[in-house]
Amino acid sequence: MTFKVAVAGASGYAGGEVLRLLADHPQLDVVAAGAHSNAGEYITAVHPHLSAYGDRRFTPTSPEAFAEADLVIMTLPHGQSAALAAQLPAGQKVVDLGADHRLEDAAAWESYYSGPHAGAWTYGLPELPGQREKIAAADRVAATGCYAVATILALRPLLDAGIASPEDVVVIAASGTSGAGNAPKKNLLASEVTGSISAYKVGAHQHVPEIKQASGAASVSMTPLLAPMSRGILSTVTAKATAEVTAADVRAALAKAYDGEHFVHVLREGQWPATASVYGTNAVQLQGTVDKDSGRIVVTSAIDNLGKGAAAQVVQCANLMLGLPEAAGLTVNGVAP
């Protein structure tokens, strides 16, 4: 059975990646690729790599343009999804990649974002305990933030196993520049980024409340870094151990949490995650140990920020919502070198 899909925000990086994945999806057909300023232009004028859409144009971003879709994927900037979602019919399934519907706590939203809190939808991270079934039963799903998914999947098993304290979690995470979108900004120019790593939003990144909500952490100190690469996230999470633990204990907690998971891979001992290994995929690589000096637990995760951190995760949720095989149209095999 084939389902019709509309994509809002299709002219952005995440929207373009959604279009790329859907072009080869065996059971999902794109019936509308919505854009704002690019409406009416050929899709390949903005995404020249998407030859499958050579004769297609962007449509307006409107309920009317999306009327025939069974499911709408929204890849709009934060704060813009809620208004569109409110205009879509109740029976139409929606996956939102923006932050508008992730947070359950209105105060947390108001502290980290602007505008009114739109309310929480089902959280779109299938690998969390019990979440896969909730997504499959939902008509409205809020997909994760990119830093959030990389961090939550590293942290949640430690807290569930009781080997790490929920207090004083520290996250250092580096992201490729595509995470900032395709709007022209001076700090994203090649001459600014090449050969340099810089910190930003230190002590106040908007994914912190989402990480706490989905992982069970009580306090999180997060330092995001902008790395000189187009895509990928490497997140290093450290937490205080609740008792004496070994690297084997950490690896066992990760392995137990993700036993049988198609997209989450705990690497062999001695092998550490790398963003190049998950480029273009919906895969997550994890590895853990215990710091020899401090005794803190250390887990590192790697994802493609446009893959598992955005577009591929959205397609994974869409598959579940439509009753399709969860891995349809997605891959765990990266491109190298």
Side-chain angles (χ1 to χ4, degrees):
M1 184 175 182
T2 299
F3 294 93
K4 299 176 181 179
V5 177
V7 181
S11 59
Y13 285 145
E17 185 73 351
V18 169
L19 292 179
R20 184 182 74 85
L21 294 172
L22 294 182
D24 294 321
H25 196 291
Q27 292 173 276
L28 298 182
D29 288 340
V30 176
V31 295
H36 290 293
S37 60
N38 296 111
E41 294 183 27
Y42 283 108
I43 292 174
T44 51
V46 177
H47 301 303
H49 61 297
L50 298 180
S51 299
Y53 300 93
D55 61 346
R56 301 278 299 275
R57 296 177 184 266
F58 291 110
T59 70
T61 300
S62 67
E64 295 76 20
F66 301 160
E68 64 174 309
D70 301 299
L71 181 142
V72 176
I73 292 174
M74 298 194 295
T75 63
L76 298 167
H78 302 317
Q80 295 186 18
S81 299
L84 176 61
Q87 301 175 63
L88 298 176
Q92 196 172 45
K93 296 180 184 294
V94 183
V95 187
D96 182 14
L97 186 56
D100 296 34
H101 302 96
R102 293 176 191 156
L103 299 182
E104 298 170 0
D105 184 355
W109 168 269
E110 292 166 4
S111 178
Y112 283 85
Y113 296 93
S114 60
H117 182 236
W121 290 356
T122 299
Y123 191 60
L125 186 49
E127 289 81 9
L128 292 181
Q131 207 63 24
R132 181 171 279 111
E133 294 75 17
K134 294 179 181 178
I135 294 168
D139 286 336
R140 297 286 193 272
V141 169
T144 64
C146 54
Y147 280 120
V149 63
T151 301
I152 292 162
L153 292 178
L155 178 60
R156 176 69 181 263
L158 311 179
L159 301 182
D160 285 350
I163 64 173
S165 170
E167 303 284 350
D168 191 25
V169 173
V170 177
V171 181
I172 307 294
S175 173
T177 57
S178 60
N182 62 2
K185 300 174 184 176
K186 182 179 184 297
N187 68 308
L188 299 180
L189 293 172
S191 56
E192 300 287 336
V193 175
T194 303
S196 176
I197 294 180
S198 58
Y200 67 101
K201 293 187 178 179
V202 180
H205 195 276
Q206 67 270 18
H207 288 176
V208 167
E210 181 184 349
I211 292 167
K212 292 171 64 178
Q213 175 181 288
S215 71
S219 65
V220 174
S221 173
M222 180 176 174
T223 302
L225 306 173
L226 185 66
M229 57 186 185
S230 61
R231 51 200 290 170
I233 286 179
L234 189 73
S235 181
T236 299
V237 181
T238 75
K240 291 180 178 179
T242 55
E244 187 174 343
V245 295
T246 66
D249 296 327
V250 176
R251 286 176 46 79
L254 295 173
K256 180 180 178 182
Y258 301 119
D259 181 38
E261 287 290 348
H262 183 67
F263 294 113
V264 184
H265 307 133
V266 182
L267 301 181
R268 292 186 178 89
E269 186 176 359
Q271 185 179 7
W272 286 89
T275 58
S277 300
V278 294
Y279 190 98
T281 79
N282 194 45
V284 184
Q285 290 189 343
L286 295 170
Q287 182 59 279
T289 191
V290 175
D291 186 87
K292 186 174 183 178
D293 184 66
S294 68
R296 289 178 71 92
I297 296 172
V298 182
V299 178
T300 295
S301 69
I303 66 168
D304 184 332
N305 64 295
L306 289 180
K308 184 64 172 174
Q313 175 99 301
V314 163
V315 174
Q316 184 182 358
C317 289
N319 286 337
L320 288 168
M321 296 169 72
L322 295 170
L324 302 175
E326 186 174 340
L330 301 171
T331 182
V332 296
N333 298 308
V335 178

